Amino acid sequence: MRKLVVFIIAATVLAGCQTAEDGLTTSSTPVALTGPAASAIAGDMASRLAEQIGPAGTTTLKMEKDSSDFAAALEAALKGWGYTVITDGKVGKDVKPVELAYSIDGADGQVLARLSTPSVALGRAYSTSAAGATPASPLSIMQRN
């Protein structure tokens, strides 16, 4: 358990050090998840993100287009919370979307899910099964200024 906590803290800190446009990246080698596990993780992380970034009707999120089960589940979960989600890069001229990056990584038989915006990074480990996923660690929250 101590290794997992150290891994989560290190991963969260390193997530803030990644560089790309606006300093955010999306994992290029996601862990394969079953549909129910992807949905459970995406639902939990979307609800936690909603607590941090403000009300749905006023925030538009921009994500990379991805065909993974997790990307589809995350987009659906965010839309379920009332957010407008852009995946095709087409943004109206009066819209200032919030860039959202995500990653799913394997560690010690568990899955580490991370969501990152310019203002906040969230991370949590999950135990997965064919039937779903359950949180295996507390939620890690890093606020950025």
Side-chain angles (χ1 to χ4, degrees), residues 4 7 11 15 18 26-33 41 70 102-114 124-126 128:
L4 180 61
F7 178 79
Q18 296 174 345
T26 300
S27 175
S28 60
T29 55
V31 171
L33 296 174
I41 294 169
F70 181 74
Y102 56 90
S103 68
I104 297 289
D105 300 300
D108 293 333
Q110 296 180 332
V111 172
L112 175 63
R114 291 179 289 162
R124 177 176 262 181
Y126 293 86
T128 62

Side-chain angles (χ1 to χ4, degrees), residues 11-49:
T12 302
V13 170
L14 291 175
C17 297
Q18 296 174 345
T19 59
E21 183 180 339
D22 295 330
L24 302 176
T25 62
T26 300
S27 175
S28 60
T29 55
V31 171
L33 296 174
T34 64
S39 292
I41 294 169
D44 182 50
M45 292 299 284
S47 70
R48 301 308 179 156
L49 182 66

Side-chain angles (χ1 to χ4, degrees), residues 32-98:
L33 296 174
T34 64
S39 292
I41 294 169
D44 182 50
M45 292 299 284
S47 70
R48 301 308 179 156
L49 182 66
E51 293 171 354
Q52 300 297 316
I53 65 171
T58 60
T59 304
T60 298
L61 300 170
K62 182 178 176 189
M63 294 173 38
E64 293 280 327
K65 186 146 183 79
D66 184 349
S67 62
S68 70
D69 286 343
F70 181 74
L74 181 58
E75 182 179 351
L78 292 167
K79 286 180 177 179
W81 278 91
Y83 291 99
T84 300
V85 180
I86 298 169
T87 58
D88 62 7
K90 296 178 182 174
V91 180
K93 58 174 145 170
D94 292 337
V95 177
K96 176 80 169 130
V98 174

